Amino acid sequence: GLILLSGVDKPGITASLFETLSAFAITVLDIEQVVIKDRLILTVLIALNPAHESAIATDLESCAANLDVDIASLFSYEQKSALSTKSNLAQVVISSRKLNPKAISELAASISQSGANIERITRLASTPVTAIEFVLSGANQEELSQILSPIAASNGVDIAVQPGGLQRHARKLVQLDVDSTLIQQEVIELLAAKAGVGSEVISITEQAMRGEIDFEQSLRARVALLKGLPVSAISEVQEQILLTPGAKTLVSTLHTLGHTVAVVSGGFIDVIAPLLKELDIKLKPQD
């Protein structure tokens, strides 16, 4: 059976619906919930004893009245194959700062023409870029990429095609800060000690932490104190850097599991680059 709930979103709706269903011998096969602005749409696919259909429908009507929402049930719904059992799964993400209907129309039409079927559509992000994910079955990834590339160009949007399925969901991007996170020290403080201005730099850092000055101001002030420090200080500081306990094992384990590890830092790339290379971490300096 298929249950469709819609209405104004508020806390407790999902809990109340499933509390109502818990009185019956039901197996939950699939759940999909989305909130757009303040409107909630919740769908639940269940397996049930046909003899309980009338009682479930009556209880759902009471639940809908109590929650002030609409609940429709379709117990004659014939379950199709679960998404996880379908072949040639693919994920297509379309993203843009201003996503127009024409781009989505052309995307959906091309997906249909390629012989693929859209199984699920989900919004991944809304600010500052709107990103919509389409999960497809029966897709040829290479063919899709060729078909969708002109749509991206003509509409000024980005379209990415990737393999679907559980393997894609299991892969993550893990991004770490460097100072006092990946490593135990603050690189700029190590450099400051070499320049004989350690206490001054620490004082500025503490001001920034208290919100008295912003990050850019504090960085410029601290770097100004390092003026005249020889290049040789970089290699000397590199030898002082200590990884946070467990950091090497964490990064190695994440890589083994197929995840990508990256770092961001407002510090000095030249100092930490050799360490990151050793850990096989991708470096993404701040703009």
Side-chain angles (χ1 to χ4, degrees), residues 160-256:
V161 181
Q162 300 177 9
L166 295 177
Q167 183 177 2
R168 181 191 68 79
H169 286 286
R171 298 188 64 184
K172 307 294 182 183
L173 168 65
V174 179
Q175 191 158 283
L176 304 171
D177 186 20
V178 176
D179 296 274
S180 300
T181 302
L182 180 67
I183 63 175
Q184 298 181 43
Q185 301 94 340
E186 295 281 333
V187 169
I188 198 167
E189 292 179 5
L190 295 177
L191 290 169
K194 294 290 181 183
V197 292
S199 60
E200 291 93 327
V201 165
I202 291 175
S203 176
I204 296 172
T205 300
E206 291 175 347
Q207 283 182 277
M209 295 296 290
R210 291 194 298 266
E212 297 172 5
I213 55 176
D214 65 24
F215 174 79
E216 183 177 350
Q217 287 178 311
S218 69
L219 182 58
R220 289 184 181 277
R222 287 178 290 176
V223 171
L225 292 172
L226 302 180
K227 185 176 181 180
L229 191 65
V231 176
S232 59
I234 292 178
S235 58
E236 294 173 5
V237 167
Q238 286 172 348
E239 296 176 359
Q240 293 180 260
I241 293 176
L242 296 175
L243 283 169
T244 299
K248 188 171 184 178
T249 300
L250 171 65
V251 172
S252 175
T253 302
L254 290 170
H255 282 158
T256 300

Side-chain angles (χ1 to χ4, degrees), residues 1-61:
L2 183 65
I3 298 170
L4 171 62
L5 182 153
S6 62
V8 176
D9 188 32
K10 60 184 176 183
I13 290 179
T14 302
S16 295
L17 173 64
F18 283 93
E19 183 180 358
T20 298
L21 295 175
S22 65
F24 301 94
I26 288 174
T27 301
V28 178
L29 302 177
D30 197 5
I31 304 173
E32 187 80 9
Q33 176 174 311
V34 62
V35 177
I36 301 178
K37 289 293 185 181
D38 62 344
R39 301 295 299 186
L40 165 71
I41 298 175
L42 169 62
T43 58
V44 184
L45 181 63
I46 61 173
L48 73 161
N49 184 332
H52 297 163
E53 290 180 5
S54 178
I56 294 173
T58 299
D59 283 9
L60 288 176
E61 288 179 7

